[in-house]
Structure formats: structure tokens, C-alpha cells
Amino acid sequence: MIRSCNIPPLLNRICDDTIHSAFLVTRDGALLGASNCSNTTRTEDPEAIAALLADIGVDYQRLGEDFAAVDANPRSKSHMKCLLIELELGLVGIAGCSEMDSLVIVVGEANTPPGLVKAKLEALADYVQESLLQAS
């Protein structure tokens, strides 16, 4: 079980020189926890960033479910394991917890290796999912 006071230290575990922010949000965009490990003082609102990125992640997941229904071998539901978005100013990673109503989001530098982000993001999302399932 994850206590709310333990969420920021948990998110801090994947932050390093290349990954500077991590968020745990609901699919509705409500911020459950955030970690900002960058050395610069940023003026962005973490709640706004998390809500925007959660909305993007949910939209991509919904598109995947729509296309899964079109497939010749239809599955009951599509599950987006990981979404990486490469932007000019950085790399964003979004991973969904399949059994829970939450997303793990990380923001890294533009030169961050995508494989590193994916590996850290999926490991953290699996850990969060297991912890939240134990709580429910």
C-alpha cells in the first residue's frame, strides 16, 4: 500500500540528471503526487502539466481501444503499456496502470535515451500498480 506521504519519494527514485519530473495522476487528471528534481526553478504548475499529459495519455489509450475493435481478431480491451512523446524541449513518457485508474508520467531532457525512460517508467508503473492493488 502506498501512503500519500510516500508518493513523492517514490517518484524521486527515477529522477536523475536526465529525468527531471515525475507525476502520479488519475485518468481524470487529478494529481496524486509529483516530484521535480531539476536544478532550475521552473514556473510551470505541476497540476496543469499533469492534467494535460494525462488527457493526452487517455486519448491515445482510447484510440488504441477503438482500433482494437476494428481488428480482425478483436480483443476485449487494448492496453497502452507505454507512450513516449519526443518534443523539442524534452521527452515525455506516460505509462498506465492497467488495473487501476492512474497514470505515471515522467518528463526528461531532449537528449534522454528513450529506452532508459521506457525501462524506468514501466518498472515504476508496475510497482505503483501492485501497491495500489494491495490497497484496494
Side-chain angles (χ1 to χ4, degrees):
M1 180 171 150
I2 299 177
R3 292 177 172 245
S4 61
C5 64
N6 294 337
I7 292 175
L10 174 68
L11 296 174
N12 271 336
R13 295 172 80 184
I14 67 166
C15 292
D16 56 17
D17 294 339
T18 57
I19 298 174
H20 55 77
S21 299
F23 307 99
L24 179 62
V25 297
T26 65
R27 294 194 189 281
D28 296 331
L31 184 64
L32 301 175
S35 172
N36 187 357
C37 303
S38 65
N39 295 331
T40 60
T41 56
R42 296 180 180 251
T43 59
E44 297 95 359
D45 180 18
E47 290 181 4
I49 293 171
L52 176 65
L53 294 174
D55 190 43
I56 292 169
V58 169
D59 286 345
Y60 271 92
Q61 186 172 24
R62 191 174 305 123
L63 281 172
E65 291 171 1
D66 291 346
F67 283 119
V70 174
D71 194 4
N73 186 5
R75 292 167 271 166
S76 60
K77 192 171 186 179
S78 172
H79 172 63
M80 177 185 71
K81 183 78 173 160
C82 180
L83 171 66
L84 296 177
I85 306 170
E86 193 172 333
L87 303 171
E88 188 174 314
L89 297 176
L91 182 68
V92 174
I94 303 171
C97 298
S98 61
E99 301 296 324
M100 301 306 295
D101 192 32
S102 61
L103 298 167
V104 178
I105 301 171
V106 297
V107 180
E109 300 296 325
N111 60 352
T112 306
L116 176 68
V117 173
K118 181 181 177 192
K120 286 185 170 188
L121 183 61
E122 287 181 348
L124 182 61
D126 289 342
Y127 179 78
V128 167
Q129 178 177 328
E130 289 174 17
S131 299
L132 292 176
L133 280 175
Q134 291 174 359
S136 59

